[in-house]
Amino acid sequence: MSAFIIEGGHALKGTIRPQGAKNEALQVICATLLTASEVTIRNIPNIRDVNNLIQLLRDIGVSVQTAPGGALTFQAATLNLEYLQSDEFVRKCAQLRGSVLMIGPLLARFGRAVVAKPGGDKIGRRRLDTHFLGFQKLGATFQQVKDRDVYEITAQTNAPLSPLTSPLSPLTTHLSPLTTHLSPLKGTYMLLDEASVTGTANIVMAAVLAEGTTTIYNAACEPYVQQLCRLLQQMGARISGIGSNLLTIKGVSSLHGAEHTVLPDMIEVGSFIGMAAICGEGIRIKDASVANLGLIPEAFRRLGVKMRIEGDDIVVPHQRHYEVQSFIDGTIMTLADAPWPGLTPDLLSVLITVATQARGSVLIHQKMFESRLFFVDKLIDMGAQIILCDPHRAVVVGHDRKIQLRAQRMSSPDIRAGIALLIAAMSAHGTSRIDNIEQIDRGYENIEHRLNALGARITREQ
């Protein structure tokens, strides 16, 4: 298990460019399973979760080649679907939550899929009901194989299928794409029980090859879902309502190749804003795709963090003090997560860390996951004044930099808490150690080298 050794108290200064968006990359990479043609994707982040998903696609027979400029070209022409039932596949899926996004494409193109209970951050319950209910609406059935902890999902049809595509026939080791152009799924109307991002993405990928029209109400409309829909449009899908919570998809018989560029990661942009606020002497975040950040800049402004938008760059100047705003009626500021276009829950950990050195108090309300705030005990050990009211709410009383955080030995519980602890350690007095940094590596590419280039002093210890 690797660790970061962080010598705190060093100011950061300079220019940094965000990586490609992790959550978008996971979606669009899985979308390549929908066609036998080549799909080229640019700006894919070189991070653990994405690399593990790419390897999983290679394992089932997807050809992955490096294209000019560092892009990757995927071609799912001949797949080894028998591998989906192997213990090795189940084990790998259990370590990667992004593997759940393979279900929709496999179900749409081949009529069946097998998925293990996915892994990922342990931040509370992350149920798959939305995915399965959507697939059921499209005509699929699923059953849990309890002794292996896997789900077998099958698309039903009354139309005759060739032996290779029949959901009742054995999986064929090398399945020809030419026999799989007729999907047994049927378009329908559905109202999602929650605006799940991965649920929406999965259902959309299943619906693009379904017969007839699918209408999805209460769909997630995050920029990454929008990007997935745009890629699918380039591949020949017919999708309207992109950017809203009402998507209409008219099924087509097949999709073709396309090219796509992944957006900058808005969570990394927000993380850099937080770093610049708490330990920066002037940082420019280059090519931040400001139009796709939603309420992220406003959330930091409510903590008193100043920034300038210059073109598509964000410049965060040095601030000796930043003061938490209050609401118009004078009540305490509250920052709460919400589905897009609300504030993303992935940045609340960073906002809490930034608030520890602000002037004033703020209530952080984490509505979506009941375990995400438990990392604050580590900040409290560092000297932060935080009251954890319950699993969903914490009050942060800012020090106004009058009390510097103290170095500690910590362990990263998940990706976002890990980066928040790294920010805290960079601003702290003394040398900190963060164990289990594989969690940070899952979401942040080569982070220590990029921050050291700004003036941080972070060493990776194997």
Side-chain angles (χ1 to χ4, degrees):
M1 184 179 293
S2 302
F4 280 149
I5 310 300
I6 308 103
E7 185 179 307
H10 297 281
L12 307 183
K13 187 175 184 179
T15 299
I16 192 166
R17 189 186 303 269
Q19 67 189 27
K22 171 200 168 193
N23 292 336
E24 178 187 343
L26 295 174
Q27 294 176 28
V28 298
I29 288 171
C30 287
T32 66
L33 292 169
L34 286 163
T35 178
S37 302
E38 291 185 349
V39 179
T40 299
I41 304 176
R42 295 179 289 270
N43 201 31
I44 295 176
N46 181 21
I47 56 178
R48 184 181 296 267
D49 274 10
V50 171
N51 292 338
N52 286 344
L53 179 63
I54 292 172
Q55 184 57 51
L56 205 54
L57 265 61
R58 283 192 172 107
D59 290 342
I60 64 172
V62 178
S63 170
V64 183
Q65 304 294 330
T66 302
L72 293 179
T73 295
F74 300 81
Q75 187 170 18
T78 306
L79 302 185
N80 178 5
L81 297 186
E82 194 173 68
Y83 180 74
L84 297 178
Q85 291 189 326
S86 69
D87 291 338
E88 182 181 1
F89 177 78
V90 170
R91 177 181 57 80
K92 289 184 176 181
C93 286
Q95 298 172 350
L96 175 66
R97 183 166 182 82
S99 64
V100 74
L101 288 161
M102 297 170 62
I103 305 175
L106 291 172
L107 190 62
R109 189 169 163 211
F110 302 113
R112 64 188 304 172
V114 179
V115 64
K117 182 178 179 180
D121 288 331
K122 306 303 181 187
I123 54 177
R125 291 170 294 174
R126 306 177 76 182
R127 58 191 179 89
L128 298 178
D129 297 55
T130 302
H131 304 245
F132 290 145
L133 291 172
F135 297 144
Q136 280 185 316
K137 286 280 190 178
L138 292 171
T141 62
F142 69 92
Q143 63 178 0
Q144 184 178 15
V145 184
K146 293 185 178 180
D147 59 336
R148 300 185 67 212
D149 203 17
V150 302
Y151 295 92
E152 292 182 352
I153 308 172
T154 306
Q156 302 296 326
T157 179
N158 294 322
L161 295 176
S162 71
L164 289 180
T165 60
S166 170
L168 302 178
S169 66
L171 290 171
T172 302
T173 301
H174 294 291
L175 187 55
S176 168
L178 298 178
T179 62
T180 60
H181 64 282
L182 293 175
S183 173
L185 299 176
K186 304 291 185 183
T188 187
Y189 169 85
M190 65 182 77
L191 173 62
L192 301 188
D193 62 333
E194 64 172 352
S196 165
V197 175
T198 54
T200 299
N202 229 344
I203 295 166
V204 167
M205 287 189 283
V208 291
L209 293 181
E211 180 183 339
T213 299
T214 302
T215 303
I216 307 173
Y217 198 23
N218 195 30
C221 52
E222 270 79 354
Y224 306 145
V225 175
Q226 297 177 38
Q227 284 284 95
L228 170 67
C229 291
R230 293 188 183 104
L231 168 61
L232 294 172
Q233 282 183 325
Q234 290 185 62
M235 294 169 66
R238 301 171 65 187
I239 306 174
S240 59
I242 297 175
S244 74
N245 67 349
L246 180 60
L247 294 174
T248 301
I249 303 156
K250 295 183 179 180
V252 296
S253 61
S254 63
L255 298 178
H256 51 71
E259 295 187 0
H260 179 77
T261 300
V262 175
L263 285 175
D265 196 309
M266 65 169 139
I267 311 304
E268 192 169 71
V269 171
S271 301
F272 293 154
I273 295 173
M275 292 176 192
I278 199 169
C279 51
E281 286 191 348
I283 291 179
R284 177 182 292 271
I285 305 169
K286 191 74 176 172
D287 298 330
S289 190
V290 176
N292 290 295
L293 295 179
L295 290 177
I296 291 173
E298 179 60 24
F300 283 99
R301 289 189 180 103
R302 290 186 175 187
L303 294 182
V305 178
K306 296 178 181 178
M307 63 191 79
R308 302 191 308 273
I309 307 300
E310 297 183 358
D312 212 19
D313 299 352
I314 298 176
V315 178
V316 185
H318 170 67
Q319 282 183 255
R320 177 58 188 163
H321 301 280
Y322 50 96
E323 185 171 358
V324 179
Q325 298 177 5
S326 59
F327 288 115
I328 293 175
D329 62 359
T331 54
I332 184 173
M333 174 57 58
T334 299
L335 295 178
D337 59 336
W340 185 270
L343 178 62
T344 171
D346 284 347
L347 274 175
L348 290 187
S349 302
V350 172
L351 289 162
I352 287 173
T353 301
V354 173
T356 65
Q357 296 301 313
R359 178 185 295 163
S361 301
V362 60
L363 171 64
I364 303 292
H365 192 174
Q366 162 61 268
K367 299 176 182 177
M368 297 188 183
F369 304 108
E370 67 269 19
S371 303
R372 195 159 225 167
L373 296 185
F374 288 164
F375 87 102
V376 300
D377 62 342
K378 299 173 176 62
L379 295 179
I380 294 171
D381 289 342
M382 298 178 78
Q385 294 184 325
I386 302 174
I387 302 168
L388 185 60
C389 307
D390 55 44
H392 292 278
R393 295 177 301 163
V395 175
V396 185
V397 181
H399 286 161
D400 192 22
R401 300 190 191 273
K402 293 177 182 177
I403 303 175
Q404 190 175 7
L405 296 178
R406 302 184 298 269
Q408 289 286 321
R409 179 166 184 168
M410 303 165 281
S411 180
S412 173
D414 62 72
I415 300 175
R416 308 310 174 188
I419 201 68
L421 294 176
L422 181 60
I423 294 171
M426 287 192 295
S427 70
H429 174 71
T431 300
S432 298
R433 177 188 177 98
I434 301 177
D435 294 308
N436 195 30
I437 60 170
E438 288 80 6
Q439 289 284 0
I440 301 175
D441 291 337
R442 289 177 49 220
Y444 292 86
E445 178 180 333
N446 202 20
I447 190 65
E448 73 271 26
H449 296 293
R450 296 161 70 200
L451 296 182
N452 286 343
L454 297 178
R457 295 192 181 179
I458 307 170
T459 304
R460 180 182 292 262
E461 186 177 277
Q462 301 294 338

